[in-house]
Structure formats: C-alpha cells, structure tokens
Amino acid sequence: MKSLFVVFAGLLLMASTATRADVAASRLSQISDPDTRAWWQATEALSSDAMTGRDIGSAGYDHAAALVAKRFAAAGLKPAGENGTWFQPIRFDDWLVSTEGTHIAVGQQALRLLHDLSVRPSPGMPTTLDAPMMFGGYCSPGTLGDAHGKLVICYGWRRAGHTTGGERLKAVQQAGALGMLSLADAGFTAEPMRWPVAYARDVAPVGAAAPVADHLLLAQLNADALAAVIAGSGHDAAQLLAAAVAGKPLPCFDVPTHFRAHFQLQHRVITSANVLGLLPGTDAAVAKQTIVVSAHLDGYGRGESVQGDDIYNGTLDDAAYVALLEQLAARRHGQGFRRPVLFAAFTGEEKGLLGSRWFVAHPTVPMQSIAADINLDQVRPIFPLDLLTVHALDDSTLGDTVRTVATAMGIAVQLDPEPERQLLRRSDHWPFLQAGVPSTGFVFGYRPGSDAERKYRHWYQVQYHRPQDDLGQPMDWAAAGKFNRFFYALVESVADGDAAPGWKAGSPLKPPAAKH
C-alpha cells in the first residue's frame, strides 16, 4: 500500500500542470486593483468546476490541496505538516444513505429522499422500517407519553421559548420511540431550511465514538410533505405549521398511516489532509507565540442538482479565503513577521470542523506555542464594507486589535446581532477557542432594513451551500479588496505587536487556567 505522503507528493506534480483554472468566463477584467485581481485569479483556480466542489475525500479536494501546497511553497513558506510535508492526512469513516436503492413511503404516498426527507446516516441506524407515527408538537419533555415502536414528528423550534434540539431528542428517547422526524422551524427566518439538500452523509474520524442516539432514525421532514404524512389524522398541516411559527400550543396525535422505508446505507473509509505552511518569525523573543491564519479548503462537492447544476463550488465558502491565505503568503514572499505565522487550510469544516478539531488535538507545532487564530469564513463581500460582525470581539485583546485596525479603515465593528444562529461555534476558530486560544472570525455586517441586509438574506437563501455559490455570483470588488487589506493589516498588527493576544477578565470563553 502506498504511503499517504507518496500519494500527496504525486498530487503536487499534478498541481504543477494546473497553473490556471479552466474558467469559461473569467471576471478578472472587471477588477482594477492588481492585488484583488491576483486574489480572484487564485479563487478561480480553487473553485472552478474542474475542482468538482472540493468534497472531503475526493480527487477534486486532493487536487486543490496540492495546488495550495504549491502556492505556499512558491511564496517561501516552510512545510508544517507531518514528516516534513505540507500535509496532515486524516482517515475518516464516511456514511451515506444513497438515493439509489432507498425507498420511502407513507401509506400510498412515496417520499423522495433529499427532497421530502433527509436522514442522518449512522452505523446503528435502522435501515428497514414499517412503523406507526405520531405528531408530538414541540416534543417537550414528558409530553409524548408512550411512543414505543413509533416515529415521532417534532417541530424543530430554533428560537427562544420552546424546546431545543437536545431536549426534543431526550424526550423522544425517553418515550421509547424508534426515531424522530424534525420539521424545520419556518419562523427562523435568519437561516431558512432549503430543499433539496445536497446529500445524506455523516463523516467522522476513524475511531471516533458513535454519534448520539446512533440506534434511532433521525431525519428532517420537508414541511411541504407534512400534509401527505399526516393525511387522515383530522388535522390540517397548514394550520399546524402556522400555529408552530407563531409559537402557539400544538396538539399531540397519532397518525393513521405507517412509515415504510428501506435506506441504502453505504460506508467507505476516506483520507483527506489539512494543508499547513509556516512563515518563520524574525524575533527569537516571541518565537513561541505562533499566530495561526486559517480557512477551510473543503466544500460540498457534488450533490443533488439545483437548477440543473450539481457542483457545489463553494467559491465564497470558502475557496476565496484559502486564496487570501495564498495571497498573504505571496505578498510576504518569505519575509517573516516578528512572530511565526502558521497558514492552515483545513479539511472537513463542512462536515463538522473536522480538520481544525483534528489539528487542535494533534498539532504539528506545540499547542502551547499558539497565541491566536484569525479565521476566514462567512465573509461574503457582496455589498460595501462599512460594518463588520466580529466573533469573540470582547473576549480577548485580539478583539481590541481588530477594532483598532477596522476603525482606521472606516469600518465599524459589532457583536453578532443573531447569536441564536451560533455562528461563533460553526467555523474553524471554535476548536481553538475551546482549547483556550484567543481567536476570531468575521462576517460582513449590515444595518436592519438596508440594501445590504437584503443582499445578505438573499445570499443565504440562494447561494449558501448551493451550486450557486460559484464564480459567477454577484460580487462587490471594492468591498472584497477592502476586506483583504483589513486582513493584511490585522495579521501584521498581531504578528508584529508588542504583546501576544490575551484573554479579558470575565470572558465566558476564557479557560479556567488561560495560557495567555
């Protein structure tokens, strides 16, 4: 069996022939600023259709990883992966419920996987069912009675005031149910559920513990299918959904038809690698204060077709910001800051921050030497940049530096105005924060009722985790360039600063014995 490092070395040779993306209609002529143009050219290289969406474990991802390593090497970085390479390979279990061979029906009504229903694959999930159903409302603890042998339909409330996902799962387990069909909260307009979903997959490092409630069927039910699912119950689906959106009381009732399904569960072991490069520091006094700059290289890959397109390119999420890491490295061309800077293009973010979690648990530089992580994700330069949402803004002096750099550029900063979305916990800065490292990330901000808000909401409705997050989507080139310059200035300020970032007293994120 070939060494993983030999495989990745071969990919570097492949990348040597991919100096430019095969982009049918490059937009470089639209961009007047040379630095922004170079950044977008690198973005084109990473998110063209040739990369097939850079799914974890895919040839497209490996090709992109080799290209990033090639760009890091050309910029004068040093390999910071395993065994003197650019790569930190990780083996994963990949579980998929395939549309081929899967059959789902309620009574005589067929349900379509990925369009009407999506499931969480797991090793212990039931793959063949013929079960009665009940509607459990918000599935509050103690309200379901005896649900042994049943599937429970729960309204998946995401706002304050009713059950959380964990509470619903606990209630379903305590009632003895076979599983839970969750209806997405249509009242949670900040981030609405969209159908179809790309695929039904679950990926985890080889050897990881089984997922919670592995023996249950856990699924999302499209609200448009509710009427067919509860037909004959005497309840009106539209009225139930309207009451749920308003947070009004919901009934519990049995459904007269059975849920019958066979799920075609597939398993494979895949390998995917973080790409890591180091820009050594110039000041021995701060050599053990490494600054990490990170973005995720993986996207969704190929998935269920939307408007005739099945390649989920992930251009802004997050190829453009791996490209920005490449551009920062190229601008420095081996000239170090006072502190070392570790450039990290993580794998598996879209499957649960897998690459960054692995790196924090298995660091290729001493974890105690990491002073900060500046993460690039969720940025979205689609309208003018005069307001920036900053994660963990008030928790460490890193936030103070962000504020100083942004203010000098005419950019206001704010805390997340929608904390219920938990964006703080949904990107690769989070494992670093959990490990006690001051960290931050950014989202283009908007003012309520503005055109910027309209564009922001539209992006999450149309582009987010969709094939439409591609190279042809609307962009604000001036805003993109302004953010890039903000990032360059921030990294310089942190990496050359007098003191490393430190935690602030009273921060809920500050670890009990903070390192800094």
Side-chain angles (χ1 to χ4, degrees), residues 235-257:
H235 292 268
D236 181 87
Q239 292 179 0
L240 288 171
L241 291 169
V245 167
K248 295 179 179 179
L250 294 176
C252 291
F253 56 87
D254 285 326
V255 175
T257 51

Side-chain angles (χ1 to χ4, degrees), residues 333-351:
H333 203 67
Q335 180 183 354
F337 300 99
R338 289 184 62 220
R339 293 178 176 82
V341 176
L342 179 70
F343 290 69
F346 289 126
T347 189
E349 191 271 354
E350 297 291 9
K351 303 301 186 288

Side-chain angles (χ1 to χ4, degrees), residues 292 294-296 346 349 352-361 367 372-378 391-393 395 398 419 422-442 503 507-511 515:
V292 177
S294 58
H296 70 88
F346 289 126
E349 191 271 354
L353 316 185
L354 300 179
S356 56
R357 292 186 190 279
W358 185 269
F359 175 84
V360 168
M367 197 65 201
D373 172 51
I374 302 171
N375 187 54
L376 299 173
D377 191 15
Q378 309 166 346
H391 296 309
L393 174 63
D395 292 282
L398 179 59
Q422 297 195 17
L423 295 181
L424 175 69
R425 298 168 179 257
R426 287 169 51 184
S427 194
D428 287 321
H429 49 257
W430 181 243
F432 288 91
L433 287 166
Q434 288 182 300
V437 176
S439 306
T440 193
F442 317 98
W503 290 101
S507 166
L509 299 175
K510 180 181 178 181
K515 300 191 297 294

Side-chain angles (χ1 to χ4, degrees), residues 237-455:
Q239 292 179 0
L240 288 171
L241 291 169
V245 167
K248 295 179 179 179
L250 294 176
C252 291
F253 56 87
D254 285 326
V255 175
T257 51
H258 275 217
F259 181 97
R260 296 182 175 88
H262 173 72
F263 296 106
Q264 190 65 39
L265 182 63
Q266 300 176 355
H267 172 256
R268 61 180 182 152
V269 175
I270 60 175
T271 299
S272 191
N274 295 327
V275 187
L276 304 168
L278 183 70
L279 180 62
T282 61
D283 186 344
V286 291
K288 295 183 179 180
Q289 296 178 5
T290 301
I291 308 302
V292 177
V293 290
S294 58
H296 70 88
L297 181 57
D298 67 304
Y300 265 53
R302 288 189 180 270
E304 194 71 357
S305 179
V306 179
Q307 299 177 15
D309 189 352
D310 71 346
I311 297 178
Y312 291 58
N313 300 81
T315 294
L316 292 185
D317 186 16
D318 194 30
Y321 293 96
V322 174
L324 187 54
L325 298 185
E326 293 179 349
Q327 187 66 7
L328 172 63
R331 286 168 59 93
R332 299 300 298 185
H333 203 67
Q335 180 183 354
F337 300 99
R338 289 184 62 220
R339 293 178 176 82
V341 176
L342 179 70
F343 290 69
F346 289 126
T347 189
E349 191 271 354
E350 297 291 9
K351 303 301 186 288
L353 316 185
L354 300 179
S356 56
R357 292 186 190 279
W358 185 269
F359 175 84
V360 168
H362 308 87
T364 60
V365 299
M367 197 65 201
Q368 64 270 22
S369 74
I370 296 178
D373 172 51
I374 302 171
N375 187 54
L376 299 173
D377 191 15
Q378 309 166 346
V379 177
R380 321 289 186 257
I382 55 176
F383 49 80
L385 176 57
D386 57 16
L387 178 62
L388 202 56
T389 295
V390 180
H391 296 309
L393 174 63
D394 293 334
D395 292 282
S396 74
T397 59
L398 179 59
D400 295 339
T401 306
V402 170
R403 182 179 279 107
T404 298
V405 172
T407 300
M409 297 181 64
I411 304 170
V413 295
Q414 65 175 5
L415 295 168
D416 188 352
E418 296 173 329
E420 64 273 14
R421 294 174 65 196
Q422 297 195 17
L423 295 181
L424 175 69
R425 298 168 179 257
R426 287 169 51 184
S427 194
D428 287 321
H429 49 257
W430 181 243
F432 288 91
L433 287 166
Q434 288 182 300
V437 176
S439 306
T440 193
F442 317 98
V443 187
F444 266 45
Y446 59 83
R447 291 173 177 82
S450 65
D451 184 58
E453 181 180 13
R454 180 189 65 77
K455 291 178 178 177

Side-chain angles (χ1 to χ4, degrees), residues 102-127:
T102 291
H103 307 283
I104 313 166
V106 174
Q108 300 302 309
Q109 178 66 49
L111 299 181
R112 190 177 174 192
L113 182 67
L114 308 183
H115 292 256
D116 300 313
L117 187 91
S118 182
V119 300
R120 182 205 68 181
S122 63
M125 68 174 283
T127 55

